[in-house]
Amino acid sequence: MKLGKRLATLAMTALALGIAGAAFAADAVKIGVYLPLTGQNAFGGQLELEGVKLAHQQMGTVLNRPVELVIVDNKSDKVEAANAVKRLVERDKVVAFIGTYGSSLAMAGGEVGEKAKVPGIGTSCTNPLVTQGKKYYFRACFIDPYQGAAAATYAFENLKCHNAAILMDMTNDYAVGLANFFNKSFTKLGGKIVSKLMYSSGDQDFTAQLTELIAKKPDIVFMPSYFAEGAIIMKQARELGATFRLMGADAMDNPDTVKIGGKAVEGFLHTTFPYDAAMTNMSDEAKKFTEAWNKAYPGKETNVNGALGYNSYMLVVDAIKRAGSAEPAAITKALAETRDLPTALGRLTINATHDAEMPVGIIEYKDGKRVYVGEVTPK
């Protein structure tokens, strides 16, 4: 073959490969992720992103097409959350999106996804309003009425606490919702709420509220706070000589709770999602997640936020497989039909309100360690 013809042939081959490569890249299934990677909620968002990335490593293709993750930081801000989803659905043309940690952020982002008719999977946003009235927004977690009722049930029946108080962040939708659901369930069971006090996000001194709580002598104080503020509250409570028990919710389930709170966390309880590396009777999917996490992130403890991110990705991919299509409408329909799916957090069903149905776990801190003490069914 003459040199000219050979060069022409090579050029055509290279062009064909380039076109094929471009076609392959264009054929990727785009899944968006919007999480708080900076700002107040960054630690939880980072953990969930690690779970999403881990699932992507294991399930990076669907319907013989590569999956492309498009990740946007919502900066722990409602406006930024809405803008993040707007970018994902309008500019990046994702077929579905994952997120977010933080109910108020999810409510802001969910409205944008709803208008665009692109399905979203909330990771750990537990406020009922996140999915209320939504056709395209789902979540991989239980909701606050269920979690608040579970906390109240455990406090009243398991701990035999009949007098409770509430300390909540009045500026946070998550905290306000959980506090109200705990209040309603605890009184329904026969308990008494002796005090309900408030603070604002960013506060560092809780002396006034804690002094009043000590005077009211509750058996337990329910504080549905985020881990950083919750740990500070625990430290200040013990410094003031408080003897009541403290109980929180899933936002306290963070490796840094003990690091910040130190000895003050002893005896602290909180609700959580039903996963723990040391839990008995671990399911096959939970074992798979645990082993994959330890391999991908050696030296870093597994956590429920990572498991929720992992599950959210798995839910989207499972829906695409069952639908046999990566079109948003088909994915939406398949997500709504999810039933009894084995996951790292147990078997998961998406109910009529697009919320995940699963048990509620209970964590207690003993001798400076986080101990999974079991599960509770709310009443």
Side-chain angles (χ1 to χ4, degrees):
M1 183 181 292
K2 293 182 179 180
L3 180 60
K5 288 185 177 181
R6 184 179 299 172
L7 290 173
T9 301
L10 288 172
M12 291 179 66
T13 301
L15 179 62
L17 288 172
I19 292 172
F24 184 75
D27 201 37
V29 175
K30 288 187 176 184
I31 297 176
V33 181
Y34 82 116
L35 289 167
L37 305 180
T38 56
Q40 181 187 14
N41 301 325
F43 198 94
Q46 291 283 359
L47 291 176
E48 291 181 353
L49 181 59
E50 289 172 346
V52 171
K53 287 182 174 179
L54 180 61
H56 183 57
Q57 290 173 13
Q58 295 185 316
M59 299 171 276
T61 61
V62 63
L63 303 182
N64 295 317
R65 297 167 62 183
V67 175
E68 178 185 342
L69 282 182
V70 184
I71 301 167
V72 182
D73 178 11
N74 67 40
K75 303 178 183 179
S76 303
D77 181 84
K78 295 178 185 179
V79 174
E80 292 289 348
N83 289 338
V85 176
K86 184 177 178 66
R87 170 190 155 174
L88 289 171
V89 300
E90 293 183 1
R91 193 186 81 177
D92 298 308
K93 306 297 182 184
V94 300
V95 299
F97 61 92
I98 295 168
T100 176
Y101 182 98
S103 292
S104 59
L105 304 176
M107 283 184 253
E111 290 293 339
V112 179
E114 192 74 7
K115 291 177 182 177
K117 298 183 179 180
V118 175
I121 293 283
T123 45
S124 57
C125 40
T126 51
N127 191 298
L129 295 176
V130 170
T131 55
Q132 185 173 304
K134 299 290 192 302
K135 294 181 179 180
Y136 297 91
Y137 214 28
F138 303 80
R139 68 178 117 207
C141 58
F142 48 58
I143 59 175
D144 286 339
Y146 195 77
Q147 182 179 195
T153 299
Y154 194 83
F156 187 83
E157 298 199 340
N158 295 68
L159 302 179
K160 307 302 179 185
C161 296
H162 292 168
N163 295 311
I166 292 171
L167 178 59
M168 70 172 190
D169 180 351
M170 63 182 178
T171 64
N172 186 282
D173 295 328
Y174 164 84
V176 172
L178 262 174
N180 289 336
F181 299 127
F182 178 92
N183 187 343
K184 181 179 179 181
S185 297
F186 193 77
T187 54
K188 184 179 179 182
L189 288 166
K192 182 180 179 181
I193 302 296
V194 298
S195 182
K196 189 174 182 180
L197 300 178
M198 303 176 187
Y199 64 91
S200 298
S201 295
D203 286 353
Q204 296 292 305
D205 185 359
F206 304 94
T207 304
Q209 295 95 324
L210 290 169
T211 300
E212 184 173 340
L213 289 174
I214 290 171
K216 294 290 184 179
K217 298 181 179 180
D219 301 317
I220 193 166
V221 173
F222 182 64
M223 53 165 198
S225 60
Y226 287 100
F227 74 95
E229 289 171 339
I232 294 171
I233 290 170
M234 284 189 275
K235 289 183 73 173
Q236 293 181 7
R238 298 315 175 208
E239 288 169 358
L240 290 168
T243 57
F244 48 70
R245 298 203 71 170
L246 284 157
M247 188 176 195
D250 61 294
M252 289 297 300
D253 198 352
N254 190 294
D256 274 9
T257 295
V258 175
K259 294 179 184 178
I260 299 172
K263 294 181 180 179
V265 305
E266 188 68 21
F268 174 64
L269 302 120
H270 65 73
T271 49
T272 189
F273 297 93
Y275 169 81
D276 186 82
M279 68 192 301
T280 57
N281 302 319
M282 185 179 282
S283 69
D284 289 341
E285 286 298 322
K287 289 178 182 176
K288 180 180 176 182
F289 164 75
T290 304
E291 291 169 1
W293 180 279
N294 290 335
K295 184 177 179 180
Y297 308 114
K300 188 166 189 174
E301 294 180 14
T302 56
N303 56 84
V304 292
N305 291 109
L308 284 163
Y310 183 92
N311 271 11
S312 298
Y313 183 98
M314 190 174 71
L315 276 165
V316 175
V317 171
D318 174 72
I320 293 172
K321 287 180 179 178
R322 286 187 289 108
S325 168
E327 293 299 318
I331 298 171
T332 302
K333 183 175 184 295
L335 281 170
E337 295 171 351
T338 302
R339 299 290 183 274
D340 206 29
L341 178 68
T343 76
L345 296 171
R347 291 189 171 270
L348 184 152
T349 291
I350 298 294
N351 62 23
T353 52
H354 290 189
D355 307 316
E357 293 183 350
M358 63 176 69
V360 178
I362 299 291
I363 295 294
E364 182 175 358
Y365 290 81
K366 301 178 181 179
D367 299 321
K369 295 181 180 179
R370 175 187 179 281
V371 180
Y372 189 88
V373 295
E375 297 167 2
V376 61
T377 301
K379 293 185 178 179

